[in-house]
Amino acid sequence: MKCAVLVCSGLDKPLGSLAREVALCAAEQADCAIVCPVLLHNSPARYEEVLQELPVLVVDGCGTRCATKLAGELGLKISRRVLLPEALKELGEALQDDMRLNPEARQLALKLAL
């Protein structure tokens, strides 16, 4: 399903790398538009049209839930939310403690994106 993906930008954590990969998989597999949280925060008009037209998928890489909080601040209607620590636990999966994703983590991202 086509959507707008608002993804955390936790580039300093392995889960942030996984969150980014989930967004990329959603964009490739479901023709979703990726929304940069920093640009959305600083210049919300940039994404106004896409966020009004498409359902919003929020991907949070950690319990801080930055993407969810930003969506709430802007009054966005979230159609689906993925909190990666919870999703990994539900799937019985673990993520390596590395900033670069191995092939297994990329497959996991694909599973989480759809």
Side-chain angles (χ1 to χ4, degrees):
M1 174 174 86
K2 191 169 180 171
C3 66
V5 183
L6 176 56
V7 61
C8 80
S9 58
L11 296 176
D12 60 337
K13 301 176 185 108
L15 283 169
S17 296
L18 181 61
R20 180 181 184 277
E21 190 69 23
V22 169
L24 291 172
C25 288
E28 292 169 354
Q29 300 298 316
D31 195 28
C32 293
I34 297 175
V35 177
C36 171
V38 175
L39 187 54
L40 177 62
H41 183 265
N42 291 329
S43 197
R46 162 72 169 82
Y47 293 109
E48 187 174 347
E49 186 176 325
V50 73
L51 291 171
Q52 288 178 356
E53 292 178 3
L54 297 174
V56 178
L57 162 62
V58 171
V59 181
D60 285 308
C62 71
T64 304
R65 296 177 173 98
C66 295
T68 295
K69 289 177 183 174
L70 178 58
E73 288 171 12
L74 297 174
L76 302 178
K77 184 179 177 189
I78 300 171
S79 64
R80 180 173 169 229
R81 189 174 72 84
V82 177
L83 176 58
L84 290 179
E86 288 179 2
L88 292 174
K89 187 175 181 178
E90 288 174 12
L91 292 172
E93 298 280 354
L95 187 63
Q96 81 277 5
D97 191 22
D98 191 354
M99 299 301 283
R100 298 214 183 252
L101 299 179
N102 62 29
E104 293 81 17
R106 288 195 175 112
Q107 287 300 315
L108 178 59
L110 182 59
K111 188 185 305 184
L112 292 165
L114 303 176

